[in-house]
């Protein structure tokens, strides 16, 4: 049987709870979502303190936004790629570039309506990921973290042995960003995205 997987919506970002012999989460959602996280955990009848690792897929605000508060609540370690760990440790706001006209338009909207109203609370990254694979076995999860740049230079994905993948923004699947599952509308480099997408 595969792991238990639940998604908790935290603003414009999500947090994915994965539980097998141990429990981890992938991403921490938008800023100021700690209460929503606790409520979401209660809804899936899970205890935040069973989470031992928070894997951050990349450093954009809707993925690191509530990492600091969720770390305090869970006492879990944070794992993040070395290229972007400063964004969380220094509370830096980074927005992606657009990869299409619609993407460019959405970035402008984020610059005007999102970024000025958000503060990323800094916190330490405990597990610094590099380009090599990182096994999740020590955390009771049959799977690994792999390096998947393209959307951003420090993007990683969680891949379970049962085939499920948590790819951050390497792919997008819902409005307003896109109306069907596919390539992201934001990112650093579409060629790199496609190489990862198709491999
Ligand atoms: Zn992103």
């Amino acid at each position: 049987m595969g792991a238990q997987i639940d998604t908790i919506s935290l603003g414009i970002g999500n947090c994915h709870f994965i539980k097998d012999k141990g429990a981890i989460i992938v991403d921490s959602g938008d800023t100021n979502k700690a209460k929503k996280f606790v409520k979401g955990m209660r809804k899936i009848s899970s205890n935040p303190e069973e989470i031992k690792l928070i894997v951050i897929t990349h450093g954009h605000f809707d993925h690191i936004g509530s990492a600091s508060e969720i770390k305090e609540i869970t006492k879990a370690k944070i794992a993040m790629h070395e290229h972007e760990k400063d964004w969380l440790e220094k509370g830096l706001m980074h927005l992606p570039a657009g990869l299409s006209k619609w993407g460019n338009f959405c970035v402008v909207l984020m610059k005007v309506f999102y970024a000025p109203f958000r503060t990323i609370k800094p916190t330490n990254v405990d597990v610094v990921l590099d380009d090599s694979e990182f096994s999740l076995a020590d955390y009771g999860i049959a799977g690994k973290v792999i390096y998947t740049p393209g959307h951003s230079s420090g993007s990683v994905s969680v891949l379970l042995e049962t085939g499920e993948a948590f790819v951050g923004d390497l792919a997008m699947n819902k409005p307003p960003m896109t109306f069907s599952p596919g390539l992201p509308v934001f990112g650093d480099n579409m060629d790199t995205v496609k190489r990862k997408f198709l491999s």
Side-chain angles (χ1 to χ4, degrees), residues 97-100 149-152 169-170 182-198:
L99 288 173
S100 64
H151 174 70
S152 69
D169 287 342
L170 189 65
L183 295 165
V185 296
F186 318 120
D188 283 355
N189 189 314
M190 187 56 101
D191 288 338
T192 315
V193 168
K194 282 182 180 166
R195 267 205 301 281
K196 287 292 165 191
F197 215 118
L198 302 173

Side-chain angles (χ1 to χ4, degrees), residues 41-52:
M41 288 295 291
R42 212 175 293 138
K43 215 169 167 184
I44 60 171
S45 306
S46 297
N47 178 359
E49 289 185 5
E50 63 188 316
I51 295 164
K52 300 299 176 212

Side-chain angles (χ1 to χ4, degrees), residues 12 62 100 102-103 106-107 110 114 169 172-180 183-186:
I12 63 169
D62 50 330
S100 64
W102 178 241
C106 290
V107 172
M110 282 196 285
Y114 281 92
D169 287 342
M172 294 183 172
N173 65 353
K174 61 181 184 186
M177 305 314 173
T178 179
F179 290 91
S180 60
L183 295 165
V185 296
F186 318 120

Side-chain angles (χ1 to χ4, degrees), residues 149-167:
H151 174 70
S152 69
S153 69
S155 285
V156 300
S157 298
V158 170
L159 184 60
L160 302 186
E161 282 177 12
T162 41
E164 295 89 348
F166 302 83
V167 301

Side-chain angles (χ1 to χ4, degrees), residues 19 58 77 87 131:
K19 183 178 175 183
H58 65 291
K77 289 180 183 168
W87 302 7
D131 301 358

